[in-house]
Amino acid sequence: MSQLRGTDLKRLHRSWKRTDPPELALVLDSVASPWNVGAIIRTAAALGVRQLYLGGDSAAPRSPKTQKTALGTDRYLAYTTYDDGLAAIAAAQGDGYAVVALELADESRPLHEIDLTKPSALLLGHEDRGVSAAALAAVDAVGFLPQIGRVGSLNVATAASIAMYEARRQYWSSLAQTPQWGMEAD
């Protein structure tokens, strides 16, 4: 076994991209840390997120601190900024996305039980305060990431990564056949 490099690596990623997963977007409501926003952007670019809606006091994608973790990957997705999270949620819903908040709340469901195989926008809140009550009232669903360890919550960038992957996993699990990248013709 050896690591993939160059052309083989490109073929592997292209085979999964060709499965044409549903559109996925993110809504960040006052995610203030530029390092968290940068990490979220980088994962979003890797998983084919199309749009980033930035509400409230979210860190700017092009700031030098954000770029330390984004590494220029913000060029692969569009982003718009809004005065607050509610405006960002409304914009995502207006663009046809079902907005799913990621929050530990009394009425949230395990994220794997929420259908993310349609155009969805994942809402993530502030690092300390989470998603506001007003934002929770405006979304289409609320999900959480089940945890079995001694820690009760995750870093927002880590939670975003897991949620984005779950959205893609749900779609890929529905495919009749896993992409066969080694057998494709260029």
Side-chain angles (χ1 to χ4, degrees):
M1 182 180 301
S2 61
Q3 290 181 332
L4 297 179
R5 306 257 187 237
T7 302
D8 285 336
L9 186 59
K10 289 177 185 175
R11 285 180 179 149
L12 171 66
H13 292 315
R14 190 173 31 228
S15 68
W16 287 94
K17 187 177 183 177
R18 286 181 181 150
T19 65
D20 195 29
E23 286 197 29
L24 183 60
L26 296 175
V27 180
L28 304 185
D29 184 9
S30 295
V31 177
S33 165
W35 295 279
N36 281 333
V37 172
I40 290 168
I41 288 171
R42 188 164 179 190
T43 303
L47 290 172
V49 168
R50 308 270 173 114
Q51 178 72 37
L52 181 62
Y53 300 86
L54 298 160
D57 295 324
S58 293
R62 294 299 308 159
S63 78
K65 289 180 181 178
T66 303
Q67 285 299 305
K68 285 194 181 277
T69 49
L71 298 173
T73 56
D74 59 296
R75 70 183 180 269
Y76 299 117
L77 57 148
Y79 59 89
T80 50
T81 58
Y82 300 88
D83 290 336
D84 57 48
L86 290 176
I89 292 167
Q93 289 170 327
D95 289 342
Y97 292 104
V99 178
V100 178
L102 196 60
E103 185 59 74
L104 296 165
D106 60 354
E107 294 183 29
S108 60
R109 297 176 19 222
L111 191 62
H112 65 272
E113 292 181 0
I114 297 173
D115 182 7
L116 301 172
T117 61
K118 57 190 175 204
S120 301
L122 300 168
L123 168 66
L124 297 131
H126 186 271
E127 289 88 346
D128 291 328
R129 298 182 303 273
V131 176
S132 70
L136 287 175
V139 299
D140 301 294
V142 181
F144 72 95
L145 301 172
Q147 298 168 48
I148 59 172
R150 292 181 176 244
V151 176
S153 66
L154 295 168
N155 167 274
V156 67
T158 301
S161 296
I162 294 168
M164 286 184 271
Y165 187 82
E166 172 59 19
R168 294 305 187 215
R169 186 206 61 78
Q170 284 185 18
Y171 174 72
W172 291 328
S173 294
S174 73
L175 297 176
Q177 183 177 4
T178 300
Q180 300 297 310
W181 67 273
M183 303 173 147
E184 71 177 342
D186 277 16

PDB file of all heavy atoms in Angstrom, residues 31-64:
ATOM      1  N   VAL A  31     -19.733  33.352  14.685  1.00  0.00           N
ATOM      2  CA  VAL A  31     -18.573  32.511  14.968  1.00  0.00           C
ATOM      3  C   VAL A  31     -17.378  33.462  14.909  1.00  0.00           C
ATOM      4  O   VAL A  31     -16.947  33.858  13.837  1.00  0.00           O
ATOM      5  CB  VAL A  31     -18.442  31.343  13.973  1.00  0.00           C
ATOM      6  CG1 VAL A  31     -17.182  30.535  14.250  1.00  0.00           C
ATOM      7  CG2 VAL A  31     -19.678  30.449  14.044  1.00  0.00           C
ATOM      8  N   ALA A  32     -16.902  33.849  16.072  1.00  0.00           N
ATOM      9  CA  ALA A  32     -15.989  34.979  16.181  1.00  0.00           C
ATOM     10  C   ALA A  32     -14.521  34.653  15.937  1.00  0.00           C
ATOM     11  O   ALA A  32     -13.767  35.503  15.464  1.00  0.00           O
ATOM     12  CB  ALA A  32     -16.141  35.618  17.565  1.00  0.00           C
ATOM     13  N   SER A  33     -14.083  33.462  16.247  1.00  0.00           N
ATOM     14  CA  SER A  33     -12.668  33.129  16.123  1.00  0.00           C
ATOM     15  C   SER A  33     -12.269  32.981  14.658  1.00  0.00           C
ATOM     16  O   SER A  33     -12.817  32.139  13.937  1.00  0.00           O
ATOM     17  CB  SER A  33     -12.358  31.824  16.857  1.00  0.00           C
ATOM     18  OG  SER A  33     -11.104  31.311  16.465  1.00  0.00           O
ATOM     19  N   PRO A  34     -11.295  33.768  14.217  1.00  0.00           N
ATOM     20  CA  PRO A  34     -10.863  33.623  12.822  1.00  0.00           C
ATOM     21  C   PRO A  34     -10.267  32.245  12.541  1.00  0.00           C
ATOM     22  O   PRO A  34     -10.385  31.733  11.431  1.00  0.00           O
ATOM     23  CB  PRO A  34      -9.835  34.740  12.641  1.00  0.00           C
ATOM     24  CG  PRO A  34      -9.469  35.195  14.001  1.00  0.00           C
ATOM     25  CD  PRO A  34     -10.583  34.832  14.918  1.00  0.00           C
ATOM     26  N   TRP A  35      -9.651  31.632  13.548  1.00  0.00           N
ATOM     27  CA  TRP A  35      -9.092  30.301  13.338  1.00  0.00           C
ATOM     28  C   TRP A  35     -10.198  29.267  13.156  1.00  0.00           C
ATOM     29  O   TRP A  35     -10.065  28.361  12.336  1.00  0.00           O
ATOM     30  CB  TRP A  35      -8.159  29.933  14.497  1.00  0.00           C
ATOM     31  CG  TRP A  35      -6.977  30.849  14.522  1.00  0.00           C
ATOM     32  CD1 TRP A  35      -5.843  30.763  13.749  1.00  0.00           C
ATOM     33  CD2 TRP A  35      -6.829  32.034  15.312  1.00  0.00           C
ATOM     34  NE1 TRP A  35      -5.012  31.821  14.025  1.00  0.00           N
ATOM     35  CE2 TRP A  35      -5.578  32.610  14.982  1.00  0.00           C
ATOM     36  CE3 TRP A  35      -7.623  32.654  16.273  1.00  0.00           C
ATOM     37  CZ2 TRP A  35      -5.110  33.770  15.575  1.00  0.00           C
ATOM     38  CZ3 TRP A  35      -7.155  33.816  16.864  1.00  0.00           C
ATOM     39  CH2 TRP A  35      -5.916  34.360  16.519  1.00  0.00           C
ATOM     40  N   ASN A  36     -11.284  29.396  13.894  1.00  0.00           N
ATOM     41  CA  ASN A  36     -12.425  28.499  13.692  1.00  0.00           C
ATOM     42  C   ASN A  36     -13.047  28.714  12.327  1.00  0.00           C
ATOM     43  O   ASN A  36     -13.343  27.752  11.608  1.00  0.00           O
ATOM     44  CB  ASN A  36     -13.473  28.704  14.792  1.00  0.00           C
ATOM     45  CG  ASN A  36     -13.107  28.009  16.081  1.00  0.00           C
ATOM     46  OD1 ASN A  36     -12.398  27.016  16.100  1.00  0.00           O
ATOM     47  ND2 ASN A  36     -13.595  28.543  17.186  1.00  0.00           N
ATOM     48  N   VAL A  37     -13.257  29.963  11.944  1.00  0.00           N
ATOM     49  CA  VAL A  37     -13.852  30.252  10.628  1.00  0.00           C
ATOM     50  C   VAL A  37     -12.942  29.719   9.524  1.00  0.00           C
ATOM     51  O   VAL A  37     -13.405  29.110   8.561  1.00  0.00           O
ATOM     52  CB  VAL A  37     -14.156  31.756  10.460  1.00  0.00           C
ATOM     53  CG1 VAL A  37     -14.585  32.069   9.032  1.00  0.00           C
ATOM     54  CG2 VAL A  37     -15.242  32.184  11.449  1.00  0.00           C
ATOM     55  N   GLY A  38     -11.645  29.900   9.670  1.00  0.00           N
ATOM     56  CA  GLY A  38     -10.713  29.386   8.661  1.00  0.00           C
ATOM     57  C   GLY A  38     -10.761  27.881   8.540  1.00  0.00           C
ATOM     58  O   GLY A  38     -10.768  27.326   7.441  1.00  0.00           O
ATOM     59  N   ALA A  39     -10.804  27.185   9.676  1.00  0.00           N
ATOM     60  CA  ALA A  39     -10.890  25.721   9.651  1.00  0.00           C
ATOM     61  C   ALA A  39     -12.204  25.266   9.034  1.00  0.00           C
ATOM     62  O   ALA A  39     -12.245  24.297   8.263  1.00  0.00           O
ATOM     63  CB  ALA A  39     -10.726  25.169  11.062  1.00  0.00           C
ATOM     64  N   ILE A  40     -13.292  25.960   9.358  1.00  0.00           N
ATOM     65  CA  ILE A  40     -14.599  25.623   8.781  1.00  0.00           C
ATOM     66  C   ILE A  40     -14.563  25.813   7.268  1.00  0.00           C
ATOM     67  O   ILE A  40     -15.038  24.961   6.511  1.00  0.00           O
ATOM     68  CB  ILE A  40     -15.710  26.472   9.440  1.00  0.00           C
ATOM     69  CG1 ILE A  40     -15.929  26.025  10.887  1.00  0.00           C
ATOM     70  CG2 ILE A  40     -17.007  26.397   8.647  1.00  0.00           C
ATOM     71  CD1 ILE A  40     -16.787  26.970  11.717  1.00  0.00           C
ATOM     72  N   ILE A  41     -13.987  26.915   6.815  1.00  0.00           N
ATOM     73  CA  ILE A  41     -13.899  27.187   5.373  1.00  0.00           C
ATOM     74  C   ILE A  41     -13.093  26.101   4.672  1.00  0.00           C
ATOM     75  O   ILE A  41     -13.483  25.622   3.605  1.00  0.00           O
ATOM     76  CB  ILE A  41     -13.313  28.586   5.123  1.00  0.00           C
ATOM     77  CG1 ILE A  41     -14.336  29.659   5.494  1.00  0.00           C
ATOM     78  CG2 ILE A  41     -12.853  28.743   3.678  1.00  0.00           C
ATOM     79  CD1 ILE A  41     -13.791  31.070   5.487  1.00  0.00           C
ATOM     80  N   ARG A  42     -11.984  25.724   5.259  1.00  0.00           N
ATOM     81  CA  ARG A  42     -11.138  24.717   4.606  1.00  0.00           C
ATOM     82  C   ARG A  42     -11.864  23.386   4.456  1.00  0.00           C
ATOM     83  O   ARG A  42     -11.838  22.758   3.404  1.00  0.00           O
ATOM     84  CB  ARG A  42      -9.846  24.536   5.395  1.00  0.00           C
ATOM     85  CG  ARG A  42      -8.860  23.656   4.668  1.00  0.00           C
ATOM     86  CD  ARG A  42      -7.490  23.772   5.229  1.00  0.00           C
ATOM     87  NE  ARG A  42      -6.591  22.877   4.509  1.00  0.00           N
ATOM     88  CZ  ARG A  42      -5.374  22.624   4.893  1.00  0.00           C
ATOM     89  NH1 ARG A  42      -4.890  23.209   5.965  1.00  0.00           N
ATOM     90  NH2 ARG A  42      -4.627  21.785   4.212  1.00  0.00           N
ATOM     91  N   THR A  43     -12.554  22.951   5.500  1.00  0.00           N
ATOM     92  CA  THR A  43     -13.329  21.715   5.407  1.00  0.00           C
ATOM     93  C   THR A  43     -14.486  21.879   4.431  1.00  0.00           C
ATOM     94  O   THR A  43     -14.784  20.969   3.647  1.00  0.00           O
ATOM     95  CB  THR A  43     -13.849  21.297   6.795  1.00  0.00           C
ATOM     96  OG1 THR A  43     -12.743  21.159   7.683  1.00  0.00           O
ATOM     97  CG2 THR A  43     -14.613  19.989   6.716  1.00  0.00           C
ATOM     98  N   ALA A  44     -15.130  23.037   4.458  1.00  0.00           N
ATOM     99  CA  ALA A  44     -16.244  23.301   3.537  1.00  0.00           C
ATOM    100  C   ALA A  44     -15.781  23.195   2.087  1.00  0.00           C
ATOM    101  O   ALA A  44     -16.476  22.607   1.245  1.00  0.00           O
ATOM    102  CB  ALA A  44     -16.839  24.679   3.810  1.00  0.00           C
ATOM    103  N   ALA A  45     -14.616  23.740   1.798  1.00  0.00           N
ATOM    104  CA  ALA A  45     -14.087  23.662   0.428  1.00  0.00           C
ATOM    105  C   ALA A  45     -13.789  22.212   0.040  1.00  0.00           C
ATOM    106  O   ALA A  45     -14.035  21.796  -1.093  1.00  0.00           O
ATOM    107  CB  ALA A  45     -12.835  24.521   0.304  1.00  0.00           C
ATOM    108  N   ALA A  46     -13.297  21.421   0.991  1.00  0.00           N
ATOM    109  CA  ALA A  46     -12.983  20.020   0.714  1.00  0.00           C
ATOM    110  C   ALA A  46     -14.238  19.192   0.476  1.00  0.00           C
ATOM    111  O   ALA A  46     -14.206  18.210  -0.274  1.00  0.00           O
ATOM    112  CB  ALA A  46     -12.183  19.422   1.877  1.00  0.00           C
ATOM    113  N   LEU A  47     -15.352  19.573   1.100  1.00  0.00           N
ATOM    114  CA  LEU A  47     -16.588  18.790   0.983  1.00  0.00           C
ATOM    115  C   LEU A  47     -17.606  19.420   0.035  1.00  0.00           C
ATOM    116  O   LEU A  47     -18.767  19.034   0.029  1.00  0.00           O
ATOM    117  CB  LEU A  47     -17.194  18.557   2.368  1.00  0.00           C
ATOM    118  CG  LEU A  47     -16.373  17.591   3.230  1.00  0.00           C
ATOM    119  CD1 LEU A  47     -16.906  17.539   4.640  1.00  0.00           C
ATOM    120  CD2 LEU A  47     -16.361  16.193   2.611  1.00  0.00           C
ATOM    121  N   GLY A  48     -17.183  20.377  -0.766  1.00  0.00           N
ATOM    122  CA  GLY A  48     -18.038  20.910  -1.819  1.00  0.00           C
ATOM    123  C   GLY A  48     -19.162  21.810  -1.357  1.00  0.00           C
ATOM    124  O   GLY A  48     -20.204  21.872  -2.007  1.00  0.00           O
ATOM    125  N   VAL A  49     -18.974  22.512  -0.233  1.00  0.00           N
ATOM    126  CA  VAL A  49     -19.974  23.488   0.194  1.00  0.00           C
ATOM    127  C   VAL A  49     -20.007  24.608  -0.842  1.00  0.00           C
ATOM    128  O   VAL A  49     -18.966  25.065  -1.307  1.00  0.00           O
ATOM    129  CB  VAL A  49     -19.649  24.025   1.607  1.00  0.00           C
ATOM    130  CG1 VAL A  49     -20.493  25.232   1.956  1.00  0.00           C
ATOM    131  CG2 VAL A  49     -19.839  22.912   2.624  1.00  0.00           C
ATOM    132  N   ARG A  50     -21.204  25.039  -1.216  1.00  0.00           N
ATOM    133  CA  ARG A  50     -21.341  26.050  -2.263  1.00  0.00           C
ATOM    134  C   ARG A  50     -21.375  27.472  -1.733  1.00  0.00           C
ATOM    135  O   ARG A  50     -20.908  28.391  -2.365  1.00  0.00           O
ATOM    136  CB  ARG A  50     -22.627  25.812  -3.060  1.00  0.00           C
ATOM    137  CG  ARG A  50     -22.803  24.427  -3.603  1.00  0.00           C
ATOM    138  CD  ARG A  50     -22.202  24.313  -4.972  1.00  0.00           C
ATOM    139  NE  ARG A  50     -22.238  22.940  -5.423  1.00  0.00           N
ATOM    140  CZ  ARG A  50     -22.944  22.522  -6.435  1.00  0.00           C
ATOM    141  NH1 ARG A  50     -23.709  23.332  -7.101  1.00  0.00           N
ATOM    142  NH2 ARG A  50     -22.887  21.264  -6.795  1.00  0.00           N
ATOM    143  N   GLN A  51     -22.006  27.660  -0.561  1.00  0.00           N
ATOM    144  CA  GLN A  51     -22.289  29.010  -0.080  1.00  0.00           C
ATOM    145  C   GLN A  51     -22.055  29.086   1.421  1.00  0.00           C
ATOM    146  O   GLN A  51     -22.391  28.166   2.156  1.00  0.00           O
ATOM    147  CB  GLN A  51     -23.737  29.381  -0.402  1.00  0.00           C
ATOM    148  CG  GLN A  51     -24.190  30.728   0.069  1.00  0.00           C
ATOM    149  CD  GLN A  51     -23.596  31.884  -0.724  1.00  0.00           C
ATOM    150  OE1 GLN A  51     -23.432  31.776  -1.925  1.00  0.00           O
ATOM    151  NE2 GLN A  51     -23.265  32.963  -0.053  1.00  0.00           N
ATOM    152  N   LEU A  52     -21.520  30.219   1.850  1.00  0.00           N
ATOM    153  CA  LEU A  52     -21.320  30.511   3.252  1.00  0.00           C
ATOM    154  C   LEU A  52     -22.055  31.805   3.570  1.00  0.00           C
ATOM    155  O   LEU A  52     -21.829  32.828   2.917  1.00  0.00           O
ATOM    156  CB  LEU A  52     -19.823  30.663   3.532  1.00  0.00           C
ATOM    157  CG  LEU A  52     -19.353  30.942   4.944  1.00  0.00           C
ATOM    158  CD1 LEU A  52     -19.733  29.814   5.881  1.00  0.00           C
ATOM    159  CD2 LEU A  52     -17.833  31.114   4.943  1.00  0.00           C
ATOM    160  N   TYR A  53     -22.978  31.731   4.512  1.00  0.00           N
ATOM    161  CA  TYR A  53     -23.738  32.897   4.966  1.00  0.00           C
ATOM    162  C   TYR A  53     -23.157  33.308   6.313  1.00  0.00           C
ATOM    163  O   TYR A  53     -23.219  32.537   7.264  1.00  0.00           O
ATOM    164  CB  TYR A  53     -25.219  32.555   5.121  1.00  0.00           C
ATOM    165  CG  TYR A  53     -25.881  32.078   3.853  1.00  0.00           C
ATOM    166  CD1 TYR A  53     -25.842  30.738   3.482  1.00  0.00           C
ATOM    167  CD2 TYR A  53     -26.561  32.973   3.034  1.00  0.00           C
ATOM    168  CE1 TYR A  53     -26.460  30.297   2.318  1.00  0.00           C
ATOM    169  CE2 TYR A  53     -27.197  32.532   1.861  1.00  0.00           C
ATOM    170  CZ  TYR A  53     -27.129  31.201   1.515  1.00  0.00           C
ATOM    171  OH  TYR A  53     -27.747  30.763   0.365  1.00  0.00           O
ATOM    172  N   LEU A  54     -22.593  34.498   6.401  1.00  0.00           N
ATOM    173  CA  LEU A  54     -21.946  34.968   7.622  1.00  0.00           C
ATOM    174  C   LEU A  54     -22.820  35.997   8.306  1.00  0.00           C
ATOM    175  O   LEU A  54     -23.068  37.065   7.752  1.00  0.00           O
ATOM    176  CB  LEU A  54     -20.589  35.590   7.297  1.00  0.00           C
ATOM    177  CG  LEU A  54     -19.567  34.648   6.668  1.00  0.00           C
ATOM    178  CD1 LEU A  54     -18.484  35.429   5.963  1.00  0.00           C
ATOM    179  CD2 LEU A  54     -18.982  33.747   7.723  1.00  0.00           C
ATOM    180  N   GLY A  55     -23.288  35.686   9.506  1.00  0.00           N
ATOM    181  CA  GLY A  55     -24.149  36.608  10.236  1.00  0.00           C
ATOM    182  C   GLY A  55     -23.492  37.139  11.487  1.00  0.00           C
ATOM    183  O   GLY A  55     -22.640  36.482  12.090  1.00  0.00           O
ATOM    184  N   GLY A  56     -23.878  38.346  11.877  1.00  0.00           N
ATOM    185  CA  GLY A  56     -23.419  38.930  13.130  1.00  0.00           C
ATOM    186  C   GLY A  56     -21.934  39.215  13.144  1.00  0.00           C
ATOM    187  O   GLY A  56     -21.380  39.753  12.198  1.00  0.00           O
ATOM    188  N   ASP A  57     -21.286  38.800  14.216  1.00  0.00           N
ATOM    189  CA  ASP A  57     -19.866  39.093  14.426  1.00  0.00           C
ATOM    190  C   ASP A  57     -18.948  37.977  13.950  1.00  0.00           C
ATOM    191  O   ASP A  57     -17.879  37.754  14.528  1.00  0.00           O
ATOM    192  CB  ASP A  57     -19.617  39.353  15.921  1.00  0.00           C
ATOM    193  CG  ASP A  57     -20.341  40.593  16.406  1.00  0.00           C
ATOM    194  OD1 ASP A  57     -20.444  41.565  15.630  1.00  0.00           O
ATOM    195  OD2 ASP A  57     -20.805  40.587  17.559  1.00  0.00           O
ATOM    196  N   SER A  58     -19.327  37.270  12.903  1.00  0.00           N
ATOM    197  CA  SER A  58     -18.465  36.206  12.380  1.00  0.00           C
ATOM    198  C   SER A  58     -17.186  36.807  11.804  1.00  0.00           C
ATOM    199  O   SER A  58     -17.200  37.881  11.201  1.00  0.00           O
ATOM    200  CB  SER A  58     -19.184  35.406  11.296  1.00  0.00           C
ATOM    201  OG  SER A  58     -20.254  34.681  11.846  1.00  0.00           O
ATOM    202  N   ALA A  59     -16.088  36.097  11.999  1.00  0.00           N
ATOM    203  CA  ALA A  59     -14.801  36.546  11.474  1.00  0.00           C
ATOM    204  C   ALA A  59     -14.831  36.568   9.944  1.00  0.00           C
ATOM    205  O   ALA A  59     -15.467  35.725   9.307  1.00  0.00           O
ATOM    206  CB  ALA A  59     -13.692  35.620  11.964  1.00  0.00           C
ATOM    207  N   ALA A  60     -14.133  37.533   9.377  1.00  0.00           N
ATOM    208  CA  ALA A  60     -14.095  37.700   7.922  1.00  0.00           C
ATOM    209  C   ALA A  60     -13.215  36.629   7.263  1.00  0.00           C
ATOM    210  O   ALA A  60     -12.101  36.371   7.726  1.00  0.00           O
ATOM    211  CB  ALA A  60     -13.570  39.082   7.573  1.00  0.00           C
ATOM    212  N   PRO A  61     -13.692  36.010   6.187  1.00  0.00           N
ATOM    213  CA  PRO A  61     -12.922  34.961   5.519  1.00  0.00           C
ATOM    214  C   PRO A  61     -11.556  35.415   4.992  1.00  0.00           C
ATOM    215  O   PRO A  61     -10.629  34.628   4.934  1.00  0.00           O
ATOM    216  CB  PRO A  61     -13.827  34.532   4.364  1.00  0.00           C
ATOM    217  CG  PRO A  61     -15.195  34.850   4.844  1.00  0.00           C
ATOM    218  CD  PRO A  61     -15.049  36.108   5.644  1.00  0.00           C
ATOM    219  N   ARG A  62     -11.427  36.671   4.605  1.00  0.00           N
ATOM    220  CA  ARG A  62     -10.170  37.136   4.017  1.00  0.00           C
ATOM    221  C   ARG A  62      -9.216  37.772   5.023  1.00  0.00           C
ATOM    222  O   ARG A  62      -8.148  38.233   4.648  1.00  0.00           O
ATOM    223  CB  ARG A  62     -10.454  38.141   2.892  1.00  0.00           C
ATOM    224  CG  ARG A  62     -11.162  37.568   1.684  1.00  0.00           C
ATOM    225  CD  ARG A  62     -10.428  36.475   0.951  1.00  0.00           C
ATOM    226  NE  ARG A  62      -9.070  36.858   0.593  1.00  0.00           N
ATOM    227  CZ  ARG A  62      -8.096  36.000   0.321  1.00  0.00           C
ATOM    228  NH1 ARG A  62      -8.328  34.707   0.354  1.00  0.00           N
ATOM    229  NH2 ARG A  62      -6.902  36.418   0.012  1.00  0.00           N
ATOM    230  N   SER A  63      -9.579  37.781   6.306  1.00  0.00           N
ATOM    231  CA  SER A  63      -8.668  38.379   7.281  1.00  0.00           C
ATOM    232  C   SER A  63      -7.398  37.521   7.379  1.00  0.00           C
ATOM    233  O   SER A  63      -7.438  36.306   7.174  1.00  0.00           O
ATOM    234  CB  SER A  63      -9.338  38.496   8.651  1.00  0.00           C
ATOM    235  OG  SER A  63      -9.340  37.247   9.308  1.00  0.00           O
ATOM    236  N   PRO A  64      -6.263  38.137   7.686  1.00  0.00           N
ATOM    237  CA  PRO A  64      -5.007  37.369   7.793  1.00  0.00           C
ATOM    238  C   PRO A  64      -5.084  36.217   8.796  1.00  0.00           C
ATOM    239  O   PRO A  64      -4.550  35.140   8.539  1.00  0.00           O
ATOM    240  CB  PRO A  64      -3.986  38.422   8.226  1.00  0.00           C
ATOM    241  CG  PRO A  64      -4.537  39.713   7.716  1.00  0.00           C
ATOM    242  CD  PRO A  64      -6.030  39.579   7.839  1.00  0.00           C
TER     243      PRO A  64
END
